[in-house]
Amino acid sequence: MHIQDTNVILIVDDIPTNLEVLSEALIDAGFEVAVATSGESALKQVEYDLPTLILLDVMMPGIGGFETCRQLKANPKTKDIPIIFMTALSDSVDKVKGLSLGAVDYITKPFQQAEVLARVQVHVQLRNIGVALEKQNIHLKQEIEQRIAAEAALQQLTQDLEQRVAARTEELSQALHTLQNAQVQLVQSEKLATLGQLVAGIAHEINNPVNFIYANIHHANKYIHDLLVLIQLYLERYPHPADDIEKTIKDVDLEFLIEDLPKLLSSMEMGAARISEIVKSFRNFSRHDEADIKIVDLHEGIDNTLKILEHRLKKKVDAPAIRLLKKYGNLPMVECCAGKMNQVFMNIISNAIDALEEASSNGERLIEPTILIHTDVEAEYVVIRIIDNGLGIPQDVQQRLFDPFFTTKPAGKGTGLGLSISYQIVKEQHGGSLLCISNPGKGAEFVIKIPIKHLSQSEQVLSLARQ
Ligand SMILES: Nc1ncnc2c1ncn2[C@@H]1O[C@H](COP(=O)(O)OP(=O)(O)OP(=O)(O)O)[C@@H](O)[C@H]1O
Ligand SMILES: [Mg+2]
């Protein structure tokens, strides 16, 4: 579709006078004029030259004006050309019919020249504006389509990019996770090995001398008893010894000595017995330092751990003693790795002690610092709760508690590995669970759940699926 430079008006009329009159008027007004004397010839003409507007007579021999109009409107090429009917002044039926067939207007015969020109001019103008608008519309549509296509391409590109970034991020975080895990494992085995070696070393070194003392105290006791009997006998037989003996008896306060020495010996014996008990728990603690799953009394593990931590529970210059409450249930023997479980107890009880020490160093607490250890059986699990009445754990810290290297302790004090290692031991190595319950200000509770019968990795997955 194009706007012609000159506007061509096609006049279709079978009466030559009409053609002549109209042509003259239109040419004078600056239009170009084409003529056809029948509907058929008009249809043929528009095929090769599209006019801007058609003036169409209603009454013509042959197919007539209405039929010509219908055919023009039915043809996509010509349907938009405005048609003005020419009809007799009186014939209002024709006017209505013409408009209903798609004509834009009508003019009446006999022609009023000024009216014809005015109507033609208006419709030519409208037509030209219509054509220009349509052209602009097409242009706009093309532009919109181009933009939509560009936008889609951009979106696709963004999506691709996002996917690639997401995939890469996933890869990297996977790698980081693996790395951290490896590091935790390394530190774990190192920590465990070091602690185990240290404890085993100390136990070994102390064990022998303590045994001498313990074994010899018995003999010493007997010898001293014999000596005392002897002295007693001397005193009875020689109630008046020489002056220097008399003097020495007074100087050493023999009476008190005879009375105190057995007490002293028995307290030495108790002390030695206690040392050998501690050494035994040291050896127990480290003896299990193997990855093997054994049948274990977990209470023994907890008690051994407590023995090692005993000094930390005692009263300090700047902190009160920590009260230890044990509420042990009737636990069966558990299939687990004792050394590793001891390490879990060690980590969690140490944390509780740290928390209580921190609380008392803050000086804001009045209640007695206490650690409660509660054990029980729940279905196929043993449940160990380690509860302290320290400052508790804020919500944001709770979320990161089990993250490797997360610590709130000053540099050099905590590595932030205690809980992440414990989590790994309980969850991954034993198929149990470790969780923390804490309301800030109200202390913390750590709940360790361990299956009584050790499950293989695949059994662990199945049991998780069942839960
Ligand atoms: N009973 C508790 N009360 C209050 N906070 C706790 C308690 N147990 C753990 N936390 C918090 O959890 C953090 C992480 O504990 P985790 O045992 O993993 O590391 P750590 O004690 O800081 O260092 P590490 O045990 O390696 O020496 C601690 O720094 C502390 O903030
Ligand atoms: Mg810790």
Side-chain angles (χ1 to χ4, degrees), residues 306-339:
L306 285 171
K307 192 137 276 161
I308 291 169
L309 289 171
E310 206 165 59
H311 68 285
R312 294 200 55 200
L313 300 174
K314 294 203 174 123
K315 186 175 159 28
K316 308 273 154 54
V317 193
D318 52 351
I322 293 169
R323 185 162 65 121
L324 182 67
L325 283 181
K326 289 196 231 173
K327 286 197 181 156
Y328 284 178
N330 197 6
L331 289 197
M333 299 294 274
V334 176
E335 280 179 20
C336 66
C337 169

Side-chain angles (χ1 to χ4, degrees), residues 351-352 355 388 392-393 401 406-409 414-419 444 446:
N351 281 346
D388 68 70
I393 307 172
L401 221 49
F406 174 77
T407 179
T408 58
K409 290 167 194 172
T415 61
L417 280 173
L419 285 179
F446 283 83

Side-chain angles (χ1 to χ4, degrees), residues 274-312:
R274 214 161 127 46
I275 294 174
S276 58
E277 217 177 287
I278 292 171
V279 167
K280 206 164 84 201
S281 41
F282 274 21
R283 293 169 85 195
N284 268 337
F285 185 85
S286 54
R287 188 189 62 206
H288 297 298
D289 181 17
E290 314 150 8
D292 293 0
I293 298 294
K294 295 220 174 99
I295 296 190
V296 176
D297 175 0
L298 283 180
H299 285 155
E300 195 183 298
I302 298 172
D303 289 340
N304 284 329
T305 309
L306 285 171
K307 192 137 276 161
I308 291 169
L309 289 171
E310 206 165 59
H311 68 285
R312 294 200 55 200

Side-chain angles (χ1 to χ4, degrees), residues 147-249:
R147 280 188 190 196
I148 288 175
E151 216 161 278
L154 200 68
Q155 219 165 22
Q156 186 60 42
L157 221 67
T158 315
Q159 226 171 34
D160 285 355
L161 203 68
E162 271 170 7
Q163 269 170 1
R164 274 164 55 189
V165 170
R168 194 87 187 103
T169 310
E170 173 62 27
E171 259 172 48
L172 281 176
S173 70
Q174 198 61 39
L176 186 68
H177 188 71
T178 318
L179 208 68
Q180 274 187 339
N181 260 352
Q183 197 167 1
V184 169
Q185 296 276 10
L186 258 175
V187 177
Q188 175 193 355
S189 50
E190 198 138 306
K191 240 184 142 177
L192 197 64
T194 315
L195 185 67
Q197 272 169 12
L198 189 73
V199 170
I202 294 170
H204 178 78
E205 288 303 320
I206 295 176
N207 195 39
N208 282 344
V210 155
N211 278 345
F212 306 155
I213 297 172
Y214 193 62
N216 288 336
I217 278 180
H218 181 69
H219 297 292
N221 224 345
K222 187 171 179 316
Y223 296 162
I224 286 167
H225 176 77
D226 292 349
L227 284 173
L228 289 178
V229 169
L230 187 65
I231 289 173
Q232 203 62 43
L233 203 62
Y234 265 108
L235 285 176
E236 281 168 20
R237 288 291 157 93
Y238 306 100
H240 305 291
D243 286 352
D244 52 346
I245 292 179
E246 192 97 50
K247 185 174 181 296
T248 311
I249 286 173

